[in-house]
Amino acid sequence: MRKVPSDKPFIIGLAFIFSLYLLLILGMLVADANYTSFADIAKTLQNPDIQYSLKITMLSCFIATILSIIVAVPTGYLLARFRFPGKALLDALLDIPIILPPLVIGLSLLILFHKFAIFGTSIEEWCVIIFTSIYSFFSGKEPDFSVGVTYKVPAIILAQFSVSCAFAVRTMRNTFDQMSPRQEQVAMTLGCNRSQAFWLIAVPGAWRGILTAAALAWARALGEFGPILIFAGTTRGRTEVLSTSVFLEISIGNLEGAVAVSMIMVVIALAVLFLVRLLDGRKGGLYDIN
């Protein structure tokens, strides 16, 4: 009987490639950690501008993630379960925010809101009209502050959503692709319609994928920079988030402050991703490491 060659060289090769990439990541983290200290991070956290930036970052990432999931779950289900003309083209179009340079996303949003007119009025002007009407309806007076989208907090959320949603959609498409439609088909033979099968069978069964999509969308929103820079600006105390704080600190020559903000982002990202892995780390989960 022919002797089977040992698997050791193959496994060692896999481990070597994995180790190289892991060393690169650890090297960057160690380099950042060596360039700052807990005192620098504590001092940075006491800065009112950074505190505002942290608050806006958490808020905008949360809203962008919720919006991404609201769009990604039905879109992923539609692409996974139905066949229709032009599906391949539409599926490819959804990847555009992933492959385009981030600055192009921001520029496209800026042109869309200011140069694309509906009934002779730009989208930005429509937003001002709508926001003003809503505020006046509930408060009974005209707003005494600037309303609109561009160069304001809503622009941050929209910029983050534009990119992070594409990652969430791709994750949900793969999740529904891997789920057998048999349970939904059985439910429909027992009297459920397609909508009930979606809400009662597909969505609960895809909770791990939803959790993963939310984690990816949140992480992507946290690190977004280019679209925010172009579409929302980097005004301190108004449209500043942690990623743009790093840019602002570097632009004024405060490299220590920029590294400290970077370490804060690393800690926040690790904490959230670790929490997601704990929630979905049981046997068979997407983050099962056993």
Side-chain angles (χ1 to χ4, degrees), residues 245-274:
S245 292
V246 175
F247 170 75
L248 289 174
E249 294 299 327
I250 293 175
S251 66
I252 60 175
N254 184 13
L255 190 57
E256 293 79 7
V259 175
V261 175
S262 302
M263 292 307 296
I264 293 170
M265 293 179 69
V266 169
V267 171
I268 293 172
L270 284 177
V272 172
L273 295 178
F274 184 69

Side-chain angles (χ1 to χ4, degrees), residues 34-157:
N34 282 335
Y35 203 83
T36 187
S37 63
F38 286 112
D40 289 334
I41 295 175
K43 181 181 176 183
T44 302
L45 283 172
Q46 292 173 358
N47 185 327
D49 291 329
I50 301 301
Q51 290 176 0
Y52 179 85
S53 171
L54 181 61
K55 183 176 69 174
I56 293 296
T57 300
M58 296 296 101
L59 177 66
S60 62
C61 287
F62 176 76
I63 296 176
T65 300
I66 295 297
L67 293 176
S68 296
I69 293 301
I70 290 173
V71 172
V73 172
T75 303
Y77 185 77
L78 178 71
L79 294 173
R81 291 289 188 268
F82 297 94
R83 292 184 178 181
F84 49 86
K87 178 181 174 180
L89 176 61
L90 294 176
D91 194 23
L93 287 174
L94 290 173
D95 287 336
I96 285 180
I98 297 176
I99 60 176
L100 277 182
L103 289 176
V104 175
I105 300 289
L107 182 62
S108 301
L109 285 171
L110 199 61
I111 293 173
L112 173 66
F113 272 73
H114 285 271
K115 299 298 181 183
F116 186 80
I118 301 176
F119 301 117
T121 303
S122 69
I123 294 178
E124 178 68 19
E125 291 170 333
W126 276 115
C127 290
V128 172
I129 294 170
I130 293 170
F131 291 162
T132 302
S133 301
I134 293 174
Y135 183 86
S136 301
F137 177 80
F138 286 102
S139 67
K141 61 181 181 180
E142 292 290 321
D144 54 357
F145 53 87
S146 177
V147 296
V149 174
T150 309
Y151 301 122
K152 297 177 178 61
V153 172
I156 298 174
I157 298 169

